[in-house]
Every structure is written in C-alpha cells, then in structure tokens.
C-alpha cells in the first residue's frame, strides 16, 4: 500500500506518541518498592546538587568532579541492583558497590585540602580509596556501557603497568602502582580529567534541560509539526522521521537510544505505507544518529570539543550548522527518490495535524530553546546558558497551571508578561532573582489547584534527567583512563608522528587512516569516548598537517558517529532491526547510503574549510568569503543530488547501472577540489541530468500506452 487511508470515512488525525526514553544498558524506571524510591530520591539529589553547582559554583572543581563520579556510581549501581539483579544477594552487592563509589567522592571532599598537600605522596588509605574508585569505574562501565569500552580502557591501563617491557617504539620508562593510582584517581588527567569536568559542568545540565522539555511536551510539538509539515510529501512517513529526528537533535543527541524510542512508531508506519523494511530501518537509524550533529546540543560532544580546544562553544556550533543541514538534506533527498522509485505518495493531508496550529498552541515551549541559542551566541558560557535555559523551562512549566486559573485572556497575557520580565531579569541581576521567581512559583503551585501535579512533573524530570545522564557520565569517567595513559606514557606522540610521516607525502591517506581508526573504535564504544580517544591521537596529527583546528576535530567526531551506521557492527542499524523485522546488516548497508553526506562532508571540509565556516580559500581572496561559502555549499548540494540518485537508482525515472556510475563520477569530480575537476564535474552533472530528463520524458508516452 502506498496511500494513507482508503475508504469513505474521514481518517482520524495521526499523532506520533512520545516513546519512553531509553537509557543505554538499563531498562525504564527506577525499580519497585523501597529500593526504587531510594534510587528515585538519589537521582533527584544528584540533579539538585548539579544544578546548585552550576548556578552558584561555590564548590572547588576537583570536589565537584569527585562528587559527580560518586553520584554516577551510586545511582548507576543502585539502578543495576533494582532493574537487572534477580537475587537479594546480587541486589545487596550492587547497592554496596554504589555506596562505596559515593564514599570515594565524599572522601575527596572531606580530605580535599589534605590531598592537595600530599599530592605525589599518598598515604595507604588514599591508595586504597583510589584503587577502589578505579575498579568501580571499570565495573560500572562494563555493566552500563558494555564490555568493549571497558576492555579498551583496560588495555590502556595494562600498558601503564607493563609497557616498559615492550619493544620500541612502544616502550616507556615504567611506573609504580602509587603513581598510576595518583594519576588516574586523584589527578586532573585521569578519571577526573576534562571529560568528567565537561560532564559535570555542561552535559548534565543540558541532559536535565532536555528532560524538562520532553516532560513539558516538546517531543509532541516536534512530532506534530513534522507530521503536518512534511507528512503529505512524497514518501511522507519517512520524511516525518527525518524531520522529527532533526528537531529532536536540537535538545537531545542520544543516538542509538533515540532509534529504540521513536522507531517503535516510525518504522512500522513507513512499512505500512510501502517502504522496504531495510530502508525503513535505515531511515530511522540514520536520522536518529544525525541528531548528534545537529546544533546546539550535538549529543554533548560539542561541549567536550569546546573545552578541549579552548574555543567558544558558539564556534563549534557555527562549524556544525552547514554539515548538519547537508546531512539531513541528503536523507530527505534519498527518501524522496526512494518513494518516487516505488511510486509511493504522501499521507492523506486530512489525517495529519496542522503544523502551525501545533506551534500556536505550544509556542511557549520554544522560548527556553530560543533563549539557550541566544545566550550561547551572545558569548555567555555553556554552563550559564544551559542553567538559565533550564530555569526558564521550569518557570514555564510551573507558571502554566497558575495561568489556567486566571479567567480573562487579557489578565493571562499580563501574568505571562510579568513572569517573563521577572525571569529575564537574571541577565541584569543574576541567578538569585530567577531562584526567587521559581521559589514563589513552587509555593503558589503547592497552594492552588492543579499545581501539585505540575510539581510532580518537575520532580520526575529531575530524576529522569539524572538517569539519562548516566551513560554519558560513566563513559566520560572510563575514558579518563585512556587520556591519563596517553598523558602519562606519551604513547600518543608515537601515533601522531606516524600519521604525520604518512601525511607528509599524502594527506588523503592520513585522513583515510584516521577515518578507519574512528570506524574501528566506534564498532565497540559510543560516540563520546570514541571522539575523545581518537581526537587525542589523530587530532594533533591532522593539525600538524595544516588541517584547521575545529575541522580536524569535526572530522574525527563525524566518523565516530558514522561507525554506528557502518557494517559489520552498526549499533544503530541493529537497534532498528527488531522493529523493522529485517537483518541489521541490510539496514546498515542502506543506512550507509543514506548517510552519504556524513562520509563525504568531512573530507570536503579538510580541503575547503569554508564548508564549516572556517579558513577562507582562494575563491574568497578573489570574490569574497560569502561567495566562497555559497559556492562550496552549492557544490556539496549537487554532489548529494548526484550520489543520492546513484545510490537509489532513480531521479525522474529508473536508471541503468552505467547511468548510476556516471552520476557517481560527476559527484566525485565536484568534491575532489583539484584543478579543473569542478568545471568537469559541473559540465558532466548538467549534461547527465539533461539527458536523463530528456530520456525519461521521451519514454513516458510509451509507458502510458
């Protein structure tokens, strides 16, 4: 079937249900009974602690990092006990591990000054606590993130102990146990390094921010808007999947988890309208993974990248805008072509919600996100922007039931204006004013009818936000072992020197080797640790080969994401397989075709950095920077048009193999950035499109007979 509805009755309005948020390695919920309530309260306490630190910042950074890891271990092991352990002995064991993990954070807080004074000369209790912390981080990573990431980190840790027995160039001078524990458990280059700092300072706040927006109905707004706007287009259900994933990416970038959450509805819907199972699963996998490159949140990697490179967060977002649009544009285009090839039309417009009505009814939900974007581009720090965006969302949620109690529309307008001005005054008078506004709203919600249900939404959001932050936080903690090893042993310089020696003769080969490293690492570990590890190894090498700083890190980041779509592992594709009822390998092959922009744009950006709004090239010197950016984007768009047609085998009619090869070749010429290849690419592209259109038009009458 290719139509939305058949028959005489007017179809019901279709809505995409907001699936329950899936957390890597953990089932939904917090558990049952007293233990479940305890885990729920721990999650709330975790969120309150992080929000207080973000708002006031009165606790030393080292203590914040230690307590952040302590809370991660306590909540993580507590949830493992409640949700996965089957016997009372196992439950007790995991809760004990969680309490021990939290105790390591308390130890760092209580003895903060003493630990600084005796740095390098740790006492036996210090060594024991440090060793316990390292072991617990490994166990939490194994349980929550899976075995591959823990094994990779363990190999790096073993290298610290036994690398002095290896042959050159891998040999190091050797380190005793005390120095290794000091580095990994107490220094700022190990578990408490930059990744966990970013998790504690930025990522956690943005994850909670996304949880509040989801509870407030932002996902429903995104889904209804996407359904109403593109549902009636050719290939409507798949177009809806792409657009809703792009919109979701603005507040959340959980990738594989999003495949599971939203794919339960979108994949069967696409299949019902005639899309092949493999293609339907690939659209969901590709779109959900693309959420990680969609500004402003970008799956939390943007925060780590900004901190690592010591550049403004806005600079990272600016560099990601055009590639993200190209990525989703390529998805839209191939869906459009696939639908044309299979003669699939859009959904019945009468069965779709009105997108602009959805915006009119829920437009206040957009305000916190708009405020977040404004603050980020106005030069405020991500921690300030995220905290204020979260606070404004809370104000919006708490104010809604109070506004409903006000009768006349004019009075409700005055109420919202007054509340908005009071909330916005934080820019001038600081966070205390916003705290007072929230406190007053909480008191009012307790007092008036309907307010307590709203308070429960806020409490649930705090708990869900903490749980959703678990995988990212644990990944940042375990990857600190890898970073600590690179710093302590200097092994990174060996890898960097090898890449540079290759790139001196062939930059393209260095890029391919870096891409392969990212894809191989990504077969077993999530995007964030993949980016941190690979950027630590390959980032400096690409920079030494004159690749612009942000471009080199974006190159690594993009291929870390592509690893989840690339066979043979293709985690996102295999996550979509049960819902599509198709082989994960077939879905991965289709997803690799759909994500063509994700594979090509990083290479294009290295040779033409203007694609990421970075360094100008020769075109800018002659015609100006805007002209160069416009030309590069047009060239990329034409390449996507050609490769999409070649991948699907359809433009305005079905294509023979030789036509697909010709279209592919024209696209390659356009992106090669060599003398005369642009000219040859444009000529071949326009000649092929004109010929294909003429052939299809000529064949139409014969087909109609």
């Amino acid at each position: 079937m290719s139509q939305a509805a058949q028959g005489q009755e007017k179809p019901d309005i279709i809505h995409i249900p907001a699936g329950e948020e899936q957390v890597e390695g953990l089932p939904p919920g917090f558990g049952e009974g007293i233990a479940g309530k305890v885990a729920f309260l721990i999650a709330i306490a975790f969120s309150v602690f992080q929000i207080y630190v973000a708002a006031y910042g009165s606790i030393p950074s080292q203590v914040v990092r230690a307590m952040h890891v302590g809370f991660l271990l306590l909540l993580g092991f507590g949830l493992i006990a409640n949700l996965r352990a089957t016997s009372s002995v196992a439950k007790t064991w995991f809760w004990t591990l969680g309490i021990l993990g939290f105790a390591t954070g308390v130890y760092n807080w209580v003895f903060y000054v003493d630990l600084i004074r005796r740095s390098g000369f740790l006492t036996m209790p210090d060594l024991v606590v440090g060793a316990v912390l390292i072991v617990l981080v490994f166990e939490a990573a194994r349980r929550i993130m899976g075995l591959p990431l823990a094994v990779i980190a363990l190999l790096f840790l073993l290298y610290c102990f036994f690398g002095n027995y290896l042959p050159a160039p891998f040999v190091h001078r050797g380190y005793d146990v005390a120095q290794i524990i000091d580095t990994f458990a107490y220094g700022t280059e190990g578990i408490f390094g930059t990744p966990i700092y970013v998790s504690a300072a930025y990522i956690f706040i943005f994850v909670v921010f996304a949880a509040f927006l989801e509870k407030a109905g932002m996902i429903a707004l995104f889904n209804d808007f996407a359904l109403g706007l593109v549902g009636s287009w050719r290939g409507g259900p798949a177009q809806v999947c792409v657009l809703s994933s792009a919109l979701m990416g603005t507040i959340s970038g959980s990738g594989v988890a999003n495949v599971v959450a939203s794919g339960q509805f979108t994949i069967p819907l696409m299949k019902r309208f005639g899309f092949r199972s493999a293609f339907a699963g690939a659209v969901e996998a590709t779109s959900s993974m693309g959420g990680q490159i969609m500004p402003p949140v970008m799956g939390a990697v943007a925060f780590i990248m900004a901190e690592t490179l010591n550049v403004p967060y806005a600079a990272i977002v600016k560099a990601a805008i055009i590639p993200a649009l190209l990525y989703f544009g390529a998805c839209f285009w191939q869906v459009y072509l696939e639908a044309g090839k299979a003669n699939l039309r859009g959904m019945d417009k009468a069965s779709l919600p009105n997108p602009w009505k959805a915006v009119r009814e829920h437009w206040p939900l957009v305000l916190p996100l708009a405020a977040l974007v404004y603050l980020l581009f106005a030069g405020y720090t991500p921690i300030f922007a995220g905290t204020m965006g979260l606070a404004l969302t809370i104000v919006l949620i708490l104010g809604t039931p109070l506004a409903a109690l006000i009768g006349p529309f004019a009075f409700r307008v005055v109420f919202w204006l007054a509340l908005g001005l009071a909330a916005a005054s934080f820019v001038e008078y600081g966070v205390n004013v916003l705290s007072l506004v929230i406190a007053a709203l909480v008191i009012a919600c307790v007092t008036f009818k309907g307010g307590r249900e709203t308070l429960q939404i806020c409490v649930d959001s705090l708990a869900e936000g903490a749980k959703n932050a678990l995988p990212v936080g644990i990944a940042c903690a375990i990857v600190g072992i890898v970073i600590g090893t690179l710093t302590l042993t200097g092994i990174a310089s060996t890898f960097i020197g090898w890449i540079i020696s290759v790139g001196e003769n062939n930059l393209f080969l260095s890029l391919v080797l870096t891409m392969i490293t990212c894809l191989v690492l990504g077969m077993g570990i999530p995007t964030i640790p993949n980016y941190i590890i690979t950027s630590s190894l390959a980032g400096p090498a690409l920079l030494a080969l004159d690749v612009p700083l942000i471009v080199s890190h974006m190159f690594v980041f993009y291929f870390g994401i592509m690893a989840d779509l690339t066979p043979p592992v293709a985690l996102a594709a295999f996550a979509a397989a049960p819902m599509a009822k198709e082989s994960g390998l077939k879905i991965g092959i289709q997803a690799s075709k759909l994500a063509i922009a994700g594979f090509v744009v990083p290479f294009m950006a290295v040779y033409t950095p203007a694609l990421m709004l970075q360094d100008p090239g020769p075109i800018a010197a002659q015609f100006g920077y805007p002209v160069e950016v416009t030309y590069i984007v047009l060239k990329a768009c034409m390449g996507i048009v050609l490769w999409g047609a070649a991948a699907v085998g359809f433009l305005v009619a079905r294509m023979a193999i030789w036509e697909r090869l010709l279209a592919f070749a024209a696209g390659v010429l356009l992106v090669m950035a060599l003398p005369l290849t642009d000219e040859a690419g444009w000529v071949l592209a326009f000649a092929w499109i004109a010929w294909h259109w003429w052939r299809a038009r000529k064949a139409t009458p014969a087909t109609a007979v």
Side-chain angles (χ1 to χ4, degrees), residues 311-323:
V311 299
Y313 179 79
I316 305 297
V317 172
K318 183 181 74 171
I321 290 174
I322 293 176

Side-chain angles (χ1 to χ4, degrees), residues 184-531:
F184 291 139
Y186 294 102
T188 55
E189 297 292 343
I191 291 172
F192 301 144
T194 297
I196 210 67
Y197 163 73
V198 175
S199 175
Y202 306 149
I203 296 174
F204 191 96
I205 293 298
F206 278 82
V207 171
V208 175
F209 174 55
F212 269 89
L213 282 178
E214 289 173 15
K215 290 287 185 181
M218 181 63 91
I219 295 180
L221 171 60
F222 285 161
N223 289 340
D224 283 352
F225 181 78
L227 270 170
L229 191 66
V230 302
S232 59
W233 293 7
R234 191 166 84 184
Q239 305 285 22
V240 169
C241 177
V242 175
L243 181 57
S244 62
S245 294
L247 293 173
M248 270 296 296
T250 61
I251 63 170
S252 171
S254 50
V256 175
N258 278 354
V259 174
V260 178
S262 60
Q264 300 172 48
F265 177 84
T266 57
I267 293 175
L269 182 66
M270 285 185 272
K271 290 178 64 178
R272 199 174 81 210
F273 276 78
F275 283 101
R276 294 177 290 116
S277 295
F279 189 81
V283 170
E284 178 59 52
T286 307
S287 303
S288 291
M289 293 308 299
Q292 293 187 86
I293 65 173
M294 177 59 73
V297 176
M298 295 172 61
V301 167
F303 306 111
I304 297 175
M305 194 183 299
E307 190 67 29
T308 303
L309 303 183
N310 195 27
V311 299
Y313 179 79
I316 305 297
V317 172
K318 183 181 74 171
I321 290 174
I322 293 176
L325 294 176
L326 290 174
Y327 181 94
F328 283 102
C331 292
F332 276 120
W333 174 241
Q334 289 194 53
V335 166
Y336 185 80
L337 294 178
E338 178 73 20
K341 183 179 180 180
N343 195 28
L344 305 177
R345 293 188 288 276
M347 304 161 77
D348 183 1
K349 203 170 183 65
S351 68
L352 301 174
N354 186 320
W356 307 114
K357 181 183 177 184
V359 172
R360 285 195 303 271
E361 291 179 350
H362 302 288
W363 65 268
L365 293 175
V366 181
L367 295 179
L369 190 59
L372 170 69
V373 173
Y374 167 76
L375 290 171
L376 288 172
F377 279 92
Y380 292 93
T381 63
I383 190 169
F384 180 82
T387 305
M388 293 305 104
L390 171 59
L392 291 175
T393 307
I394 296 173
V395 168
L396 186 67
I397 293 173
L398 294 176
T400 300
L402 302 178
L405 297 174
I406 302 173
F409 174 76
F411 288 173
R412 289 203 300 273
V413 171
V414 171
F415 169 80
W416 281 116
L417 286 174
L419 190 59
L421 289 173
S425 63
F426 74 86
V427 177
E428 183 68 27
Y429 301 107
V431 71
N432 285 332
V433 174
L434 202 49
S435 299
L436 290 173
V437 171
I438 292 174
L441 289 172
V442 169
I443 294 171
C445 284
V446 171
T447 306
F448 295 107
K449 181 181 177 181
R452 294 185 181 181
E453 291 82 358
T454 303
L455 287 176
Q456 187 61 48
I457 290 175
C458 294
V459 172
D460 290 345
S461 299
L462 288 172
E464 285 295 332
K467 185 183 178 184
N468 294 345
L470 267 178
V472 178
I474 292 296
C476 288
I478 190 68
V479 85
I481 300 293
V482 177
I483 302 302
T485 301
L486 298 178
T487 304
L488 184 65
T489 64
I491 185 62
S493 60
T494 302
F495 185 85
I496 292 168
W498 178 61
I499 291 288
I500 291 174
S501 65
V502 171
E504 284 176 344
N505 301 316
N506 193 329
L507 174 60
F508 181 76
L509 182 57
S510 290
L511 294 174
V512 171
L513 291 173
T514 304
M515 176 189 74
I516 293 172
T517 302
C518 295
L519 293 176
V520 171
L521 269 178
M523 290 180 183
I525 64 177
T527 305
I528 289 176
N530 187 353
Y531 162 73

Side-chain angles (χ1 to χ4, degrees), residues 131-157:
V132 168
L133 173 64
I134 293 171
V135 171
L136 291 178
V137 166
F138 269 96
E139 179 63 4
R142 184 179 74 87
R143 294 280 181 177
I144 295 175
M145 304 304 298
L147 192 60
L149 179 56
V151 168
I152 290 172
L154 180 61
L155 291 175
F156 276 85
L157 181 61

Side-chain angles (χ1 to χ4, degrees), residues 40-59:
F40 185 79
L41 292 174
I42 290 170
I44 294 171
F46 191 5
S47 290
V48 170
F49 171 77
Q50 292 293 159
I51 292 171
Y52 172 81
V53 169
Y56 294 100
S58 57
I59 302 175

